[in-house]
Amino acid sequence: MLVGYARVSSAGQSLDFQLEALATAGCDKVFQEKKSGTSAEGRDALADALDFVRDGDTLMVTRLDRLARSSVDLHNIIERLSSKGVKFRCLQQAGIDTDSGMGKLVLAILGAVAAFETDIRKERQREGIEKAKAKGVYKGRKPSVEGEEVRKLHADGVGPSDIAKRLGIGRASVYRALKGESAAA
C-alpha cells in the first residue's frame, strides 16, 4: 500500500499541491496536517501515519522537509519505518528513498544538510538579536500583564494564585511583578 503524508506549517497555507502529487503517485491513503515541522513531536497526523503503515507499505512525501527538519527526527522516523518493514520515498527529490543503498546515503546526507541549515539560521537569528540589543532596538517581548495591576490586587489582599487566575497569567508572572515591586521600593 502507498501511504502519503502531507504537511504545511500554518493554517493559511494550502495542502492542495501536495495532495494532488501524492494522489498522482498512487497513494491509497493520505494523512495531512497544518502544523509547524520543527520537530516530530505534536504532529498527530504524522504519528497516525507511522502507526498506520505496515510491512510492505511505502510512506511517501512530496519533499523531505515535509517529513522532518532535523537529522535526528529524520533518522528516528526512517528507523521506525524500517523496523516495521516500511519503505520511504520522496517524490520531488529523486533518489531519496530507502529502496537502495544509494537512496539511504542520499537521505542521510540531505538530513545532515537540513540540520546544518537549521543551525546556521538559528545562529544568524541570535546574532541579529544581539546586534539589535546592542543598538537598543530589541528589548524582548512585551510583558503579558502590567505589573501595576498585579501590585494593586496584591495590595488589596488578593493572593498570588487568585491574581494569576483573575488575570489569566501564570503564578510565576505574578511573583515576578511582585519582585519588581520590592526592587523598586
Side-chain angles (χ1 to χ4, degrees):
M1 176 181 238
L2 298 178
V3 178
Y5 173 69
R7 180 189 62 79
V8 291
S9 298
S10 67
Q13 295 176 314
S14 173
L15 285 162
D16 293 346
F17 174 78
Q18 291 179 59
L19 296 175
E20 184 179 322
L22 292 167
T24 300
C27 288
D28 304 301
K29 183 162 182 66
V30 176
F31 293 84
Q32 58 182 299
E33 63 190 330
K34 294 186 175 192
K35 191 101 179 205
S36 177
T38 55
S39 157
E41 298 227 0
R43 291 168 49 199
D44 297 335
L46 176 60
D48 291 345
L50 295 175
D51 287 341
F52 178 83
V53 291
R54 301 285 180 259
D55 187 16
D57 290 349
T58 299
L59 180 68
M60 302 176 94
V61 296
T62 55
R63 291 190 341 250
L64 195 57
D65 66 347
R66 302 297 87 203
L67 183 67
R69 290 274 179 101
S70 76
S71 56
V72 171
D73 275 344
L74 179 63
H75 175 74
N76 290 339
I77 291 167
I78 298 300
E79 183 62 35
R80 184 169 173 191
L81 292 172
S82 295
S83 72
K84 293 177 79 170
V86 176
K87 296 178 182 176
F88 171 75
R89 192 171 341 141
C90 187
L91 296 176
Q92 292 182 342
Q93 295 160 314
I96 300 177
D97 58 48
T98 58
D99 294 342
S100 67
M102 182 58 83
K104 290 176 185 174
L105 174 64
V106 170
L107 192 58
I109 291 170
L110 288 176
V113 169
F116 177 67
E117 287 176 341
T118 299
D119 289 344
I120 288 173
R121 191 177 326 107
K122 285 180 181 178
E123 185 177 321
R124 285 187 192 139
Q125 183 181 19
R126 272 192 303 272
E127 289 172 356
I129 289 171
E130 291 303 318
K131 286 180 183 177
K133 281 181 179 179
K135 291 180 182 178
V137 176
Y138 182 88
K139 296 177 177 50
R141 83 178 179 112
K142 292 180 179 166
S144 60
V145 68
E146 291 296 323
E148 189 60 38
E149 287 180 77
V150 173
R151 289 188 287 277
K152 182 182 180 309
L153 288 169
H154 189 257
D156 291 343
V158 181
S161 293
D162 288 333
I163 293 171
K165 286 178 188 172
R166 286 186 191 184
L167 298 178
I169 60 174
R171 282 187 319 183
S173 296
V174 172
Y175 290 120
R176 273 193 300 276
L178 294 175
K179 184 179 178 186
E181 175 185 69
S182 63

